[in-house]
Each structure stands twice: as structure tokens, then as C-alpha cells.
């Protein structure tokens, strides 16, 4: 199996840019997806297949990848972006999935 | 609009069994793979099981393999998770997800005596 590691918590000033990273060996082979989860709510997909946004997701959310690291960037963070963010991808076998450890984003 | 509604959660004693259901609507259920994901209180997301569109491919996380069984019924547009030999560390909110694009609101399973 594989692990995806994220920073536990990051903060950003309102309107500034934040980058959240996700590291894991399987990311050299498979794309990452990103999810936003607010307290008491189900996760919402915000980026899929490295840098694609589902309908309804603001264009301030973008994704990228290099080597074993995937990144989610929020350009011009808004108060409503305060949430937990998780990456996920397949594991090394390709048959299982794994979620990152999660990053709590605080908008100051 | 895609809707996924989980049910069947509740309080169960250690060693007991429970079956979760996920009723799907708003999309062609038989055309999509499905997953179960859980989240223990105050913890992160954990993928636990996958089933392909036609049930030909099924995978489990190591933490539940041999104890949990995923299945689906396209005639009923429903996904299931049979959970046996439940342990305290299975306590979590269980989500069904269409691939990983859309998620239900989850159902809470509490394993405690």
C-alpha cells in the first residue's frame, strides 16, 4: 500500500494565495484528486485528475503535480474556503485507493 | 441531480454485524463504479471498498478485508456494505461515493458495548 502525506494545518490571509501539498510515491504514476470538507458535511470534489474542476467549483482552485508531489492552490482565498482538504489517488498496486492525511486550512 | 442516501447505521456491539445501504438516483447507476469511504470521529478519510460497474472487480482496504463485503443491485439502484465482526475501531461515519465525484451525507456506525 501507499501513503499520502499532507501538512496538518496551514493558514492564509483573506485574498492571498495558498498552496497545499500531498506527497506519495504513487503520485509518480497516478493523478491526485482533491476534496474540501467542512465541519459536519460530506467531502466535495474540487479538483480531479490533477487539474480539472467539476462544474460549480470556483476557478480560484487549481491543481498541479511534479514528481511525487501534487498541489492544490487557492488563488485569492475566501472566508468560505476555510475547511479540511484531502488528496486521494490510487496506491502502488493501482487497485486500491488512498486518502491523504488532510490539511486544515484557516483563512485569517 | 445526483443523490446518494446512506442508511443502516446505528449502535452495534463488538463482534456484531450491520448492513449499510446507499440509494442512488439522478444518474445511471449501472454505468458507474462505487466506493465506500469512512471517517472515524475527528479523523481523516479512509477508503475501504470499491466495486466496478458490473461487480466484476471488487477491492477492499486491508483494515476490512475478510470482514466487510461490498455489493450492488442495479435493479434497485443500490449499493450495500455488509459488515461482520465489527470492532470498536470501525466506529465512523460511512460514506458511499459515485466513483469519488459525488458523495452521500453518510451514516454513523458506532461499535460499543
Amino acid at each position: 500500500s501507499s501513503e499520502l502525506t499532507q501538512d496538518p494545518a496551514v493558514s492564509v490571509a483573506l485574498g492571498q494565495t495558498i498552496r497545499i501539498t500531498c506527497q506519495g510515491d504513487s503520485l509518480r504514476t497516478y493523478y491526485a484528486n482533491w476534496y474540501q470538507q467542512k465541519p459536519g458535511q460530506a467531502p466535495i470534489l474540487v479538483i480531479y485528475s490533477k487539474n480539472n474542476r467539476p462544474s460549480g467549483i470556483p476557478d480560484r482552485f487549481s491543481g498541479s503535480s511534479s514528481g511525487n508531489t501534487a498541489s492544490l492552490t487557492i488563488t485569492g482565498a475566501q472566508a468560505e474556503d476555510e475547511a479540511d482538504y484531502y488528496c486521494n489517488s490510487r496506491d502502488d498496486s493501482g487497485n486500491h485507493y488512498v486518502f491523504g492525511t488532510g490539511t486544515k486550512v484557516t483563512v485569517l | 441531480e445526483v443523490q446518494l442516501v446512506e442508511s443502516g447505521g446505528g449502535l452495534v456491539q463488538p463482534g456484531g454485524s450491520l448492513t449499510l445501504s446507499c440509494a442512488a438516483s439522478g444518474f445511471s447507476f449501472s454505468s458507474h463504479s462505487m466506493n465506500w469511504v469512512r471517517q472515524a470521529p475527528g479523523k481523516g478519510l479512509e477508503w475501504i471498498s470499491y466495486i466496478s460497474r458490473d461487480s466484476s472487480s471488487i477491492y477492499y482496504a486491508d483494515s476490512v478485508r475478510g470482514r466487510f463485503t461490498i455489493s450492488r443491485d442495479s435493479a434497485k439502484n443500490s449499493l450495500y456494505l455488509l459488515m461482520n465482526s465489527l470492532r470498536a475501531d470501525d466506529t465512523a461515519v460511512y460514506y458511499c461515493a459515485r466513483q469519488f465525484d459525488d458523495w452521500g451525507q453518510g451514516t454513523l456506525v458506532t461499535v460499543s458495548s
Side-chain angles (χ1 to χ4, degrees):
Chain A
S1 61
S2 305
E3 293 184 347
L4 297 178
T5 303
Q6 300 179 236
D7 290 331
V10 295
S11 60
V12 59
L14 184 67
Q16 296 304 299
T17 296
I18 186 172
R19 174 174 289 183
I20 304 163
T21 61
C22 171
Q23 289 189 303
D25 287 341
S26 65
L27 297 179
R28 298 184 185 277
T29 306
Y30 301 105
Y31 288 137
N33 303 317
W34 289 92
Y35 307 84
Q36 176 193 74
Q37 186 181 35
K38 296 181 180 180
Q41 298 184 17
I44 295 172
L45 179 68
V46 294
I47 292 290
Y48 66 95
S49 297
K50 189 172 78 172
N51 191 20
N52 294 279
R53 279 178 291 105
S55 174
I57 300 301
D59 60 6
R60 63 179 180 270
F61 290 90
S62 63
S64 62
S65 183
S66 178
N68 73 335
T69 302
S71 300
L72 172 70
T73 300
I74 308 175
T75 303
Q78 302 299 303
E80 61 264 32
D81 299 334
E82 188 163 287
D84 294 327
Y85 290 84
Y86 296 91
C87 59
N88 98 314
S89 185
R90 295 178 184 267
D91 74 351
D92 289 337
S93 74
N95 292 330
H96 291 190
Y97 294 89
V98 60
F99 283 90
T101 49
T103 298
K104 181 176 182 61
V105 170
T106 301
V107 179
L108 304 173
Chain B
E1 179 193 4
V2 172
Q3 282 202 322
L4 298 166
V5 180
E6 302 92 339
S7 61
L11 176 64
V12 61
Q13 292 190 338
S17 298
L18 209 56
T19 298
L20 305 184
S21 300
C22 171
S25 61
F27 66 99
S28 176
F29 181 71
S30 61
S31 298
H32 294 270
S33 60
M34 299 291 293
N35 291 275
W36 285 101
V37 178
R38 70 183 180 184
Q39 187 170 35
K43 302 298 184 182
L45 300 172
E46 179 189 14
W47 170 81
I48 58 173
S49 189
Y50 161 95
I51 186 167
S52 62
R53 295 176 292 175
D54 60 358
S55 303
S56 61
S57 296
I58 287 175
Y59 305 115
Y60 300 98
D62 292 345
S63 58
V64 305
R65 185 179 297 111
R67 300 187 300 122
F68 290 10
T69 302
I70 191 172
S71 62
R72 63 191 296 163
D73 185 337
S74 291
K76 296 182 178 180
N77 286 347
S78 292
L79 176 72
Y80 304 100
L81 187 68
L82 169 61
M83 304 185 294
N84 293 323
S85 303
L86 283 162
R87 311 184 303 222
D89 63 358
D90 293 318
T91 294
V93 174
Y94 285 73
Y95 296 101
C96 67
R98 180 183 75 103
Q99 296 174 180
F100 288 109
D101 299 352
D102 296 283
W103 299 59
Q105 284 304 302
T107 187
L108 176 63
V109 173
T110 302
V111 184
S112 175
S113 55

